[in-house]
Amino acid sequence: MKNNELDNIDKKIISMLQENARVSLKEIAEQVYLSSPAVSVRIDNLVESGYIQGFHAVINPIKLGYHIKAFINLEVSPVDKNDFYPYIKKCKNVVECNCVTGDYSMLLEVLFPSTDELDQFIGELQKYGRTKTLIVFSTCVEHRGLQI
């Protein structure tokens, strides 16, 4: 890959892997008109250059008992971030934590089996600052891959 630029074949490979990370090399090869070993090399290059960061299964949280999805805004002062980051990385119910602009400095996406457990977690979070919680009723667009 020259200058980290993607050609149309790389874009097609990324699109196919985003749709189904278990798609076979043979199937990709047929779609991009290359051999399976050539596709394998291209995927390795895409991983090595950072375009592909991993291969994941999409899990249904409800099937695993996580019926409550929420977004929590948290105001963390800059001096508390050194304590907050290690704490939040250990919280298994936090599926994403972003440092953001606006009235709050953090935006967390969390999954919990019950509102009681969510409430307890929010209580623990409030030692770092003010919170605002939004509980999700439904999702009309799930996390999806990027348009390539």
Side-chain angles (χ1 to χ4, degrees):
M1 210 174 302
K2 295 178 185 175
N3 300 329
N4 284 337
E5 290 181 17
L6 298 177
D7 63 16
N8 288 336
I9 293 172
D10 291 328
K11 290 176 184 177
K12 178 71 173 172
I13 291 170
I14 290 172
S15 293
M16 291 181 73
L17 289 171
Q18 276 191 131
E19 247 180 72
N20 178 6
R22 294 186 66 182
V23 65
S24 70
L25 289 176
K26 180 182 176 191
E27 190 173 336
I28 296 171
E30 289 171 359
Q31 292 292 315
V32 298
Y33 306 105
L34 293 176
S35 67
S36 292
V39 168
S40 181
V41 167
R42 280 183 176 254
I43 291 172
D44 289 344
N45 288 340
L46 289 166
V47 169
E48 196 173 297
S49 61
Y51 286 101
I52 297 174
Q53 294 181 325
F55 300 88
H56 309 278
V58 178
I59 306 299
N60 182 343
I62 292 172
K63 289 282 191 183
L64 295 173
Y66 294 91
H67 299 278
I68 307 299
K69 179 181 187 178
F71 291 92
I72 303 170
N73 287 300
L74 173 64
E75 184 178 36
V76 179
S77 70
V79 296
D80 290 332
K81 285 184 179 180
N82 287 337
D83 292 332
F84 174 74
Y85 286 146
Y87 164 77
I88 206 66
K89 286 178 183 177
K90 292 178 186 172
C91 296
K92 300 300 180 195
N93 294 76
V94 175
V95 294
E96 191 166 341
C97 178
N98 299 284
C99 185
V100 296
T101 62
D103 294 337
Y104 296 87
S105 54
M106 296 291 160
L107 175 63
L108 289 73
E109 180 180 351
V110 299
L111 296 169
F112 282 92
S114 69
T115 53
D116 288 339
E117 291 172 81
L118 172 60
D119 186 40
Q120 182 179 348
F121 177 69
I122 292 167
E124 293 171 15
L125 269 185
Q126 288 174 338
K127 73 179 181 184
Y128 293 101
R130 177 175 64 106
T131 63
K132 178 180 173 185
T133 302
L134 303 129
I135 295 177
V136 175
F137 289 143
S138 64
T139 303
C140 62
V141 177
E142 290 289 340
H143 180 77
R144 58 185 170 196
L146 295 172
Q147 189 87 22
I148 307 294

